[in-house]
Amino acid sequence: MSGPVVAGVDGSRRSLTAAEWAAREAARRGVALRLVHACPPLPRRVSPVPGVDAWQQVGEQMLGRTVADFRARHAGLEIDGKHTAAEPAEALLTAATSAGLLVVGARGWGGFDGLAVGSVALRVTAMADCPVVTVPETRRTGTGRDGWAGPGGSPGPDSSRGPDGSAGPDGWAAAETAEVQLGFDAHAPAEATVAFAFRAAQERGVPLRVVHAWALPPASPSAWMLTVLEEDRATWEDQESQVVSDALRPWRERCPEVTVVPDVVLLNPAEALVRASERAGLLVIGRRTATRPTELRLGPVAHAVLHHARCPLAVVPHPAG
């Protein structure tokens, strides 16, 4: 957790929005910000040698300008840049080995309209050694011109928008005071994920909403059980709430300054988390670390949330347990 915050940049507005989020996070943590730009070489059959060299120089110049701009706007924050000829995902995964946090835009220059998450973001989220935050360019809702709903549902400030009405590079600044939300399995809580969420809420000085999704017992939807459902649902929900309370007690004692809001919902976990993200400044979920190369992928809940979350999403690796 003490390593630098690393952000991938490719010159696109989406990557600059993510890098701006990363700069604020680095300042909160009191660590350095490292901007990484990957520029894999062009095939020799596609471009002559001078073109290949020019391609790398353009990438280095873009990174240099970006680092200079960030240093000018974030005085006091240690910022450096790293240019590499590796593939983007490989470059970021390498940087993640010594990072405390990796931040990427949901998409870069590639992809197409309607694509929520690009291949680089998907790969590093599933494979990085450190927590990964994926930052969408804007909140994907219809509330307000910039998609950000402020406290109480009112449109948040849109001073971060560019002159063309598009989201500016500081598009998530308005969400800094929104609550942190944690996707929580009270029956098997992941220590690393919970610790990340409590730290995020503590550093921001905002409440932590703990979202625990539960399901009815497998036999309950059968026809002969329908008359029992309404009578027993409250009992089952009370039991789930008690499990959540018991699982959170040690953390509440450890971090008494964090206001914890348990949210026990009868929903599919992915749907519950996507709905919750509509009013969150940051959503935190876990990812089991893989023991075999074939397992280096996200589980179904994490995959669904990554593609549909309405706010920056932190995916925290933790041992399977």
Side-chain angles (χ1 to χ4, degrees):
M1 295 293 280
S2 60
V5 173
V6 172
V9 293
D10 63 1
S12 67
R13 181 176 291 275
R14 296 181 183 92
S15 74
L16 295 178
T17 298
E20 192 65 41
W21 191 98
R24 292 195 299 272
E25 183 66 18
R28 265 191 296 267
R29 294 179 173 218
V31 299
L33 171 66
R34 177 165 298 149
L35 301 179
V36 175
H37 177 248
C39 189
L42 295 173
R44 297 287 179 178
R45 65 180 182 277
V46 173
S47 175
V49 173
V52 172
D53 294 339
W55 175 253
Q56 293 297 324
Q57 291 171 5
V58 168
E60 291 172 355
Q61 291 169 0
M62 183 280 295
L63 179 61
R65 289 193 300 269
T66 303
V67 170
D69 175 60
F70 271 71
R71 285 174 175 165
R73 290 187 295 104
H74 297 277
L77 180 61
E78 181 184 346
I79 303 174
D80 63 29
K82 180 175 178 56
H83 175 83
T84 173
E87 293 292 333
E90 291 299 330
L92 293 172
L93 289 172
T94 298
T97 59
S98 60
L101 183 69
L102 175 61
V103 181
V104 295
R107 280 174 51 198
W109 282 115
F112 49 86
D113 289 344
L115 179 67
V117 180
S119 59
V120 173
L122 183 61
R123 186 177 175 195
V124 299
T125 300
M127 298 177 64
D129 293 332
C130 68
V132 178
V133 174
T134 303
V135 182
E137 185 180 9
T138 59
R139 187 180 294 276
R140 294 190 290 267
T141 66
T143 306
R145 287 198 305 158
D146 64 351
W148 157 242
S154 61
D158 60 1
S159 59
S160 61
R161 303 188 69 80
D164 61 351
S166 60
D170 204 19
W172 283 99
E176 290 290 292
T177 58
E179 63 189 11
V180 172
Q181 300 196 355
L182 167 65
F184 189 64
D185 180 357
H187 298 280
E191 180 90 4
T193 308
V194 179
F196 186 101
F198 266 87
R199 173 179 175 171
Q202 182 181 39
E203 291 176 339
R204 288 164 174 75
V206 300
L208 174 62
R209 181 175 297 274
V210 179
V211 181
H212 171 78
W214 66 286
L216 295 170
S220 59
S222 60
W224 66 275
M225 285 285 288
L226 290 178
T227 57
V228 184
L229 286 180
E230 289 303 320
E231 299 175 10
D232 286 356
R233 173 174 168 170
T235 300
W236 290 328
E237 188 164 2
D238 287 344
Q239 292 173 349
E240 291 296 319
S241 296
Q242 187 60 53
V243 173
V244 171
S245 179
D246 292 343
L248 288 174
R249 186 174 297 113
W251 289 97
R252 281 175 153 159
E253 294 173 353
R254 201 177 308 174
C255 305
E257 67 280 7
V258 176
T259 299
V260 179
V261 183
D263 193 355
V264 180
V265 291
L266 179 59
L267 271 179
N268 171 277
E271 182 181 359
L273 294 171
V274 170
R275 287 189 181 186
S277 71
E278 293 178 359
R279 292 295 181 268
L282 176 67
L283 174 61
V284 182
I285 62 175
R287 166 182 70 82
R288 291 184 180 89
T289 53
T291 56
R292 296 191 298 271
T294 55
E295 296 174 337
L296 289 172
R297 56 186 174 81
L298 295 174
V301 173
H303 188 276
V305 176
L306 176 63
H307 281 79
H308 298 285
R310 310 293 203 253
C311 68
L313 172 69
V315 179
V316 183
H318 62 84

